[in-house]
PDB file of all heavy atoms in Angstrom:
ATOM      1  N   PHE A 316     -24.088  60.009  -0.345  1.00 96.00           N
ATOM      2  CA  PHE A 316     -25.263  59.617  -1.002  1.00 96.00           C
ATOM      3  C   PHE A 316     -26.536  59.956  -0.158  1.00 96.00           C
ATOM      4  O   PHE A 316     -26.505  59.762   1.036  1.00 96.00           O
ATOM      5  CB  PHE A 316     -25.339  58.028  -1.134  1.00 96.00           C
ATOM      6  CG  PHE A 316     -24.243  57.557  -2.199  1.00 96.00           C
ATOM      7  CD1 PHE A 316     -23.017  57.165  -1.674  1.00 96.00           C
ATOM      8  CD2 PHE A 316     -24.556  57.446  -3.512  1.00 96.00           C
ATOM      9  CE1 PHE A 316     -22.136  56.648  -2.606  1.00 96.00           C
ATOM     10  CE2 PHE A 316     -23.651  57.000  -4.410  1.00 96.00           C
ATOM     11  CZ  PHE A 316     -22.401  56.564  -3.944  1.00 96.00           C
ATOM     12  N   SER A 317     -27.541  60.484  -0.752  1.00 95.00           N
ATOM     13  CA  SER A 317     -28.781  60.678  -0.020  1.00 95.00           C
ATOM     14  C   SER A 317     -29.767  59.777  -0.761  1.00 95.00           C
ATOM     15  O   SER A 317     -29.872  59.857  -1.927  1.00 95.00           O
ATOM     16  CB  SER A 317     -29.136  62.096  -0.169  1.00 95.00           C
ATOM     17  OG  SER A 317     -30.461  62.297   0.269  1.00 95.00           O
ATOM     18  N   GLY A 318     -30.446  59.030   0.038  1.00 96.00           N
ATOM     19  CA  GLY A 318     -31.400  58.033  -0.634  1.00 96.00           C
ATOM     20  C   GLY A 318     -32.632  57.873   0.229  1.00 96.00           C
ATOM     21  O   GLY A 318     -32.713  58.054   1.427  1.00 96.00           O
ATOM     22  N   LEU A 334     -31.651  51.584  -0.633  1.00 98.00           N
ATOM     23  CA  LEU A 334     -31.813  52.997  -0.878  1.00 98.00           C
ATOM     24  C   LEU A 334     -31.937  53.413  -2.272  1.00 98.00           C
ATOM     25  O   LEU A 334     -31.071  52.927  -3.164  1.00 98.00           O
ATOM     26  CB  LEU A 334     -30.595  53.829  -0.211  1.00 98.00           C
ATOM     27  CG  LEU A 334     -30.249  53.501   1.160  1.00 98.00           C
ATOM     28  CD1 LEU A 334     -29.158  54.472   1.663  1.00 98.00           C
ATOM     29  CD2 LEU A 334     -31.461  53.880   2.106  1.00 98.00           C
ATOM     30  N   ALA A 335     -32.918  54.235  -2.650  1.00 98.00           N
ATOM     31  CA  ALA A 335     -33.049  54.780  -3.984  1.00 98.00           C
ATOM     32  C   ALA A 335     -32.430  56.187  -3.930  1.00 98.00           C
ATOM     33  O   ALA A 335     -32.901  57.028  -3.273  1.00 98.00           O
ATOM     34  CB  ALA A 335     -34.467  54.844  -4.391  1.00 98.00           C
ATOM     35  N   CYS A 336     -31.267  56.346  -4.656  1.00 96.00           N
ATOM     36  CA  CYS A 336     -30.527  57.545  -4.529  1.00 96.00           C
ATOM     37  C   CYS A 336     -30.678  58.384  -5.768  1.00 96.00           C
ATOM     38  O   CYS A 336     -31.398  57.976  -6.711  1.00 96.00           O
ATOM     39  CB  CYS A 336     -29.046  57.267  -4.392  1.00 96.00           C
ATOM     40  SG  CYS A 336     -28.715  56.298  -2.884  1.00 96.00           S
ATOM     41  N   GLU A 337     -30.062  59.576  -5.835  1.00 88.00           N
ATOM     42  CA  GLU A 337     -30.185  60.445  -7.030  1.00 88.00           C
ATOM     43  C   GLU A 337     -29.735  59.737  -8.282  1.00 88.00           C
ATOM     44  O   GLU A 337     -28.844  58.796  -8.299  1.00 88.00           O
ATOM     45  CB  GLU A 337     -29.282  61.674  -6.878  1.00 88.00           C
ATOM     46  CG  GLU A 337     -29.399  62.357  -5.461  1.00 88.00           C
ATOM     47  CD  GLU A 337     -28.364  61.756  -4.533  1.00 88.00           C
ATOM     48  OE1 GLU A 337     -27.355  61.167  -5.016  1.00 88.00           O
ATOM     49  OE2 GLU A 337     -28.611  61.777  -3.373  1.00 88.00           O
ATOM     50  N   GLY A 338     -30.352  60.015  -9.460  1.00 84.00           N
ATOM     51  CA  GLY A 338     -29.991  59.556 -10.699  1.00 84.00           C
ATOM     52  C   GLY A 338     -30.261  58.064 -10.876  1.00 84.00           C
ATOM     53  O   GLY A 338     -29.634  57.355 -11.616  1.00 84.00           O
ATOM     54  N   GLY A 339     -31.261  57.585 -10.142  1.00 89.00           N
ATOM     55  CA  GLY A 339     -31.682  56.169 -10.286  1.00 89.00           C
ATOM     56  C   GLY A 339     -30.801  55.162  -9.694  1.00 89.00           C
ATOM     57  O   GLY A 339     -30.893  53.952 -10.033  1.00 89.00           O
ATOM     58  N   MET A 340     -29.812  55.593  -8.918  1.00 95.00           N
ATOM     59  CA  MET A 340     -28.855  54.647  -8.391  1.00 95.00           C
ATOM     60  C   MET A 340     -29.395  53.897  -7.147  1.00 95.00           C
ATOM     61  O   MET A 340     -29.870  54.657  -6.284  1.00 95.00           O
ATOM     62  CB  MET A 340     -27.591  55.561  -7.951  1.00 95.00           C
ATOM     63  CG  MET A 340     -26.288  54.823  -8.200  1.00 95.00           C
ATOM     64  SD  MET A 340     -24.948  55.998  -7.928  1.00 95.00           S
ATOM     65  CE  MET A 340     -23.629  54.846  -7.441  1.00 95.00           C
ATOM     66  N   LEU A 342     -28.734  51.530  -3.871  1.00 98.00           N
ATOM     67  CA  LEU A 342     -27.679  51.009  -2.995  1.00 98.00           C
ATOM     68  C   LEU A 342     -28.200  50.138  -1.932  1.00 98.00           C
ATOM     69  O   LEU A 342     -29.297  50.266  -1.366  1.00 98.00           O
ATOM     70  CB  LEU A 342     -27.009  52.124  -2.355  1.00 98.00           C
ATOM     71  CG  LEU A 342     -26.040  53.048  -3.085  1.00 98.00           C
ATOM     72  CD1 LEU A 342     -25.593  54.130  -2.174  1.00 98.00           C
ATOM     73  CD2 LEU A 342     -24.995  52.392  -3.856  1.00 98.00           C
TER      74      LEU A 342
END
Side-chain angles (χ1 to χ4, degrees):
F316 293 90
S317 169
L334 303 180
C336 303
E337 316 84 27
M340 209 169 160
L342 288 181

